[in-house]
Amino acid sequence: MQHPDHPLRRPAWLGLALALACAGCAKNPNERVTGDAGRMLRVSSKQITVDLDEAQRAELARLQDRRVGMVSGARALAAGADALTAMGFAPVKSDAEVLLVEGERNRIVGNRWRAAIRALIKAKGIPLRGKPDHESMRALISIRPSPGEGTLVRARFDLTVWDTNGDSRTTTVLDGALYACFFERLDDSLDGRKPRPRPPVAPGEVDADCTTPAGGTASG
C-alpha cells in the first residue's frame, strides 16, 4: 500500500498550486504589474512597467540632456515641438506655462493577416501566446532656462508594446541614436532650418527611428 505522501497519491491540485506559486519566482524586481490577467482564468489584460535600475538611470542621464546656450524658454519649447513633429510624433502638445512638450507616435509591428488568423483560432477557445502587435512611443521634453548656464533641454522616450492578447509592457528607451536624432532636429530648428522629416515606415517594417537622412535607408 502506498504512503499518503507518495508522489502518486498527492492530489493533482497540489502540483498545479506549486507551479503557479513558482511562476513568479524569477520575476524582475524592476517590474511593476498593474493588472495581472488572472491566474486560473484570464479575466483582464496585464500591464507591466519596467523601472530603470541604477546603471540604466545613469545611462539615461548621459543621453537625455543638452544645453542649447542662451535661448529663451519659449524658443526652446517651439524647437522641441518642431523636432518631435519631424520625427513623426502626433499629436504634439506644448505647455508654455511649465515649459513642457509631449508627443506620441504609434505604429503597427505585427502583420494584420496573421492577427486575423490568430483571432479566428482564439475565437474557438484555443489559447495562444501573445505576440507583439502594436506599439506607442511617448516623448516628454522639459525646458529649464538658466541665466548663468544656458537653457537645458531634457528628453525622455518611453515605449509601450501591446501583444495580441492585449497585454502591454512599458520601458524607457535607452537607444542613443533616438536621442541623437531628437537633438539634431532640435538644433536644426534653433538654427532656423526646417528639421528633416523622419523617413516613412510601412506597417511591419523595422523602424529606423529617423536616424537616417531623409531619403536614406536604415542600416543593419
Side-chain angles (χ1 to χ4, degrees), residues 6 23 38 72 79 93 96 104 109 120 130 140 142 161 195 203-204:
H6 190 279
S72 70
K93 301 178 181 179
E104 186 173 294
V109 295
L120 290 174
L140 186 64
S142 60
V161 179

Side-chain angles (χ1 to χ4, degrees), residues 1-11 14:
M1 184 174 185
Q2 293 177 337
H3 190 276
D5 289 335
H6 190 279
L8 295 179
R9 296 295 301 273
R10 292 173 185 168
L14 181 59

Side-chain angles (χ1 to χ4, degrees), residues 2-183:
Q2 293 177 337
H3 190 276
D5 289 335
H6 190 279
L8 295 179
R9 296 295 301 273
R10 292 173 185 168
W13 60 262
L14 181 59
L16 179 60
L18 290 173
L20 291 174
C22 291
C25 293
K27 181 180 178 182
N28 185 338
N30 293 329
E31 290 185 354
R32 289 183 288 111
V33 180
T34 55
D36 60 10
R39 291 291 185 267
M40 297 290 291
L41 179 66
R42 183 179 178 87
V43 295
S44 68
S45 59
K46 182 177 183 179
Q47 299 82 43
I48 296 176
T49 300
V50 183
D51 295 324
L52 299 177
D53 60 27
E54 186 175 349
Q56 291 170 329
R57 287 194 295 269
E59 177 66 7
L60 177 62
R62 185 184 69 82
L63 296 171
Q64 69 177 161
D65 289 353
R66 171 76 63 85
R67 290 203 178 273
V68 294
M70 307 307 291
V71 174
S72 70
R75 185 180 171 196
L77 188 75
D82 287 345
L84 290 183
T85 299
M87 292 171 69
F89 286 82
V92 175
K93 301 178 181 179
S94 301
D95 190 326
E97 184 176 351
V98 296
L99 296 179
L100 197 67
V101 186
E102 295 180 85
E104 186 173 294
R105 193 173 84 187
N106 301 289
R107 75 183 185 100
I108 296 171
V109 295
N111 291 313
R112 297 294 86 185
W113 65 269
R114 289 181 179 175
I117 293 175
R118 290 175 62 87
L120 290 174
I121 295 174
K122 290 176 68 176
K124 296 181 179 297
I126 302 174
L128 294 174
R129 184 176 182 180
K131 292 185 176 295
D133 181 74
H134 62 283
E135 67 181 30
S136 177
M137 184 179 290
R138 181 172 180 265
L140 186 64
I141 314 299
S142 60
I143 313 296
R144 300 181 183 180
S146 177
E149 300 178 341
T151 296
L152 176 69
V153 178
R154 174 167 291 173
R156 178 175 175 135
F157 297 93
D158 292 320
L159 182 68
T160 300
V161 179
W162 282 269
D163 67 20
T164 48
N165 289 332
D167 297 334
S168 68
R169 183 181 182 87
T170 300
T171 57
T172 298
V173 180
L174 296 176
D175 182 0
L178 179 63
Y179 290 86
C181 170
F182 168 74
F183 286 120

